[in-house]
């Protein structure tokens, strides 16, 4: 059976590095569960958070890495820089695709950089509202998986994690259904097999308005192994309740 994994994506929160350290300590103090726990603090807080939770059973992830290894890229952070501070990195989050104009070519290069640096990548895929309404969800995620894995050297997916995050469900309080997430997870694994990846070994997380209330649906959903949690991960009690649902 695949290990379950729940990761808090803090995005551009909390306001200060001190707050980030405090939140990380609170998450590290949550009762141990059979699900593996992760947090993705903002880049400026990675070092302080990594120090604060060193030796605890809590994986730290960066929220993004650049597609180049080094050079004249003002404001950017390379996968190599992240190594040592974090166990892994999120790549292809829809907010980064939206705000930084990342297409699948860039996401593919970011994923390849993360894997080459020895980071555990959490690759985000998911359809837009218009694609959802058009009934295109499974086609979209299948296409994204093929495109986003295209720059990987065959057989080098590392410990890939895929997060299925329908864009229309992120931050809207309108999560998908468990059945929809199951169908997406199935399409993701079929596409992974098409890329010669051992899809049964790849955890697929659901993300998009996961809360203590909505999580039950996804904890029961076939093919879903955990969650990538945004807003609700900033409250340790609620995050704890979400983790418990996956235990
Ligand atoms: P949300 O964000 O839980 O606030 O909807 C999820 C994500 O973007 O990873």
């Amino acid at each position: 059976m695949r290990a379950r994994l729940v990761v808090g994506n803090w995005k551009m929160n909390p306001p200060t590095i001190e707050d980030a350290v405090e939140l990380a300590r609170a998450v590290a103090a949550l009762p141990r569960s059979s699900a593996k726990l992760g947090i993705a603090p903002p880049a400026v807080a990675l070092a302080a958070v990594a120090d604060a939770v060193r030796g605890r059973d809590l994986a730290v992830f960066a929220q993004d890495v650049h597609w180049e290894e080094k050079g004249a890229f003002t404001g950017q952070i390379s996968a190599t820089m992240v190594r040592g501070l974090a166990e892994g990195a999120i790549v292809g989050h829809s907010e980064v695709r939206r705000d930084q104009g990342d297409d699948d070519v860039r996401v593919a290069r970011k994923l390849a950089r993360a894997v080459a640096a020895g980071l555990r990548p959490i690759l985000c895929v998911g359809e837009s509202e218009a694609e959802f309404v058009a009934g295109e969800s499974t086609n979209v995620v299948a296409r994204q998986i093929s495109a986003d894995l295209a720059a990987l050297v065959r057989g080098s997916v590392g410990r890939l994690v895929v997060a299925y995050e329908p864009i229309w469900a992120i931050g809207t309080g309108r999560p998908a259904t468990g059945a929809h997430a199951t169908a997406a997870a199935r399409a993701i694994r079929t596409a992974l097999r098409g890329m010669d990846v051992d899809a049964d070994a790849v955890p697929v997380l659901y993300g998009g308005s996961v809360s203590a209330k909505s999580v039950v649906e996804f904890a029961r959903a076939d093919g879903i192994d955990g969650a990538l949690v945004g807003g609700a991960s900033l409250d340790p009690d609620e995050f704890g309740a979400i983790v418990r649902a996956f235990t």
Side-chain angles (χ1 to χ4, degrees):
M1 213 178 111
R2 289 179 296 270
R4 303 190 120 193
L5 172 67
V6 179
V7 178
N9 173 14
W10 295 355
K11 311 192 178 186
M12 201 164 68
N13 300 292
T16 69
I17 293 175
E18 290 73 27
D19 294 331
V21 166
E22 194 182 315
L23 178 55
R25 288 209 172 104
V27 173
L30 288 173
R32 291 296 95 196
S33 90
S34 56
K36 194 165 166 47
L37 228 59
I39 48 175
V44 288
L46 274 178
V49 164
D51 268 354
V53 304
R54 187 154 293 126
R56 311 299 296 263
D57 194 12
L58 175 61
V60 177
F61 291 84
Q63 295 178 8
D64 191 27
V65 292
H66 197 260
W67 62 87
E68 292 289 356
E69 198 184 351
K70 61 180 165 50
F73 302 99
T74 304
Q76 303 301 313
I77 292 161
S78 75
T80 316
M81 291 168 186
V82 164
R83 184 174 53 201
L85 294 178
E87 164 173 345
I90 298 172
V91 290
H93 192 282
S94 59
E95 286 156 7
V96 180
R97 293 183 193 246
R98 177 196 69 199
D99 296 342
Q100 294 176 21
D102 279 11
D103 57 9
D104 286 312
V105 174
R106 272 195 198 167
V107 172
R109 294 181 64 196
K110 287 180 170 189
L111 179 63
R113 285 281 175 214
V115 169
L119 297 173
R120 178 168 217 196
I122 302 178
L123 169 66
C124 299
V125 295
E127 79 282 6
S128 67
E129 172 117 56
E131 290 162 338
F132 170 64
V133 170
E136 283 295 310
S137 308
T138 54
N139 290 338
V140 169
V141 294
R143 201 164 61 229
Q144 284 175 324
I145 289 291
S146 307
D148 295 346
L149 267 66
L152 283 179
V153 179
R154 263 202 161 13
S156 74
V157 288
R159 292 165 301 143
L160 176 68
V161 177
V162 175
Y164 168 59
E165 297 208 311
I167 297 168
W168 50 270
I170 296 177
T172 58
R174 194 159 60 93
T177 61
H180 184 76
T182 291
R186 195 173 299 128
I188 286 165
R189 289 207 168 87
T190 303
L192 287 171
R193 280 185 201 103
M195 307 289 289
D196 282 344
V197 174
D198 177 9
D200 293 325
V202 176
V204 176
L205 316 183
Y206 168 79
S209 296
V210 173
S211 64
K213 198 159 158 248
S214 71
V215 68
V216 183
E217 176 107 3
F218 303 104
R220 286 197 195 122
D222 207 30
I224 296 294
D225 306 299
L228 184 56
V229 186
S233 71
L234 300 173
D235 174 347
D237 292 336
E238 175 141 27
F239 191 58
I242 292 167
V243 173
R244 270 200 307 283
F246 279 101
T247 303

